[in-house]
């Protein structure tokens, strides 16, 4: 590059460090939105926008959906009334929403995907992990210019990186919503 570098590497789904989760081959939002079949039973790990949207979609398509939310409300980053309205809507659609659900272990076998919580086990045909995304900034060599690999590239309003006049970033890699 002679004048500038633009980093547009996007983001990756965040897979929480739950015992067995990665090995259980969970769906991410990309897998769910490109699925070729509707699972009879779908468990959704997460309580944010993507988890709620996909729970609604799969319930509308006939899947028995269970949403496992670690916190005590849906859409924790929004106004409380919004989370309460979405919770009521999901439950009206027949979606089971478990608040305060801490996944301890996950495994997949011939009967499906099993999620062990503190006080119960949830079994589904597929498990969707919708627990957020993180910037795709590892293995780019950012440490050579004193930036932290794996962290978002925090840009100014012109999408430039303060202190590095030739570096720009766009999209999910910036961490801006």
């Amino acid at each position: 590059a002679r004048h500038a570098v633009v980093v547009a590497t996007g983001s990756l789904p965040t897979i929480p460090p739950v015992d067995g989760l990665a090995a259980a081959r969970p769906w991410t939002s990309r897998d769910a939105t490109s699925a070729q079949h509707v699972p009879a039973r779908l468990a959704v790990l997460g309580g944010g926008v993507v988890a709620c949207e996909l729970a609604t979609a799969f319930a509308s398509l006939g899947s028995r959906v269970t949403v496992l939310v670690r916190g005590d409300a849906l859409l924790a980053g929004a106004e409380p009334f919004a989370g309460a309205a979405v919770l009521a809507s999901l439950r009206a659609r027949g979606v089971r929403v478990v608040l305060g659900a801490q996944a301890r272990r996950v495994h997949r076998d011939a009967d499906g995907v099993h999620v062990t919580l503190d006080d119960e086990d949830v079994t589904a045909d597929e498990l969707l992990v919708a627990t957020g995304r993180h910037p795709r900034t590892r293995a780019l060599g950012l440490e050579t210019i004193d930036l932290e690999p794996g962290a978002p590239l925090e840009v100014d309003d012109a999408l430039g990186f303060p202190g590095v006049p030739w570096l720009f970033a766009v999209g999910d890699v910036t961490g801006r919503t």
Side-chain angles (χ1 to χ4, degrees):
R2 295 179 188 254
H3 301 288
V5 172
V6 177
V7 180
T9 54
S11 62
L12 295 167
T14 298
I15 305 296
V18 175
D19 182 33
L21 179 58
R25 301 179 321 278
W27 279 1
T28 65
S29 58
R30 182 166 294 184
D31 299 313
T33 57
S34 63
Q36 299 297 308
H37 73 283
V38 176
R41 303 167 298 173
L42 176 67
V44 179
L45 191 60
V49 173
V50 172
C52 294
E53 287 175 344
L54 290 172
T56 300
F58 277 92
S60 296
L61 293 170
S63 189
R64 278 194 335 258
V65 179
T66 302
V67 178
L68 306 171
V69 184
R70 186 177 59 185
D72 59 358
L74 290 176
L75 307 177
E79 294 290 334
F81 74 87
V86 171
L87 176 62
S89 176
L90 285 171
R91 287 183 171 158
R93 293 176 181 273
V95 173
R96 179 174 178 238
V97 179
V98 182
L99 300 174
Q102 182 64 45
R104 299 295 180 191
R105 185 175 185 290
V106 177
H107 74 280
R108 183 184 290 267
D109 62 20
D111 295 326
V113 183
H114 308 273
V115 181
T116 301
L117 306 175
D118 286 332
D119 55 355
E120 71 173 293
D121 289 337
V122 173
T123 301
D125 299 301
E126 293 295 344
L127 171 63
L128 165 62
V129 176
T131 54
R133 300 186 69 80
H134 60 275
R136 190 178 202 163
T137 59
R138 294 200 186 284
L140 296 180
L142 294 175
E143 64 279 1
T144 63
I145 54 172
D146 295 325
L147 297 177
E148 181 185 344
L153 294 178
E154 297 180 22
V155 294
D156 59 25
D157 289 339
L159 302 178
F161 193 84
V164 186
W166 50 266
L167 182 62
F168 297 84
V170 296
D172 285 353
V173 75
T174 67
R176 287 184 170 198
T177 55

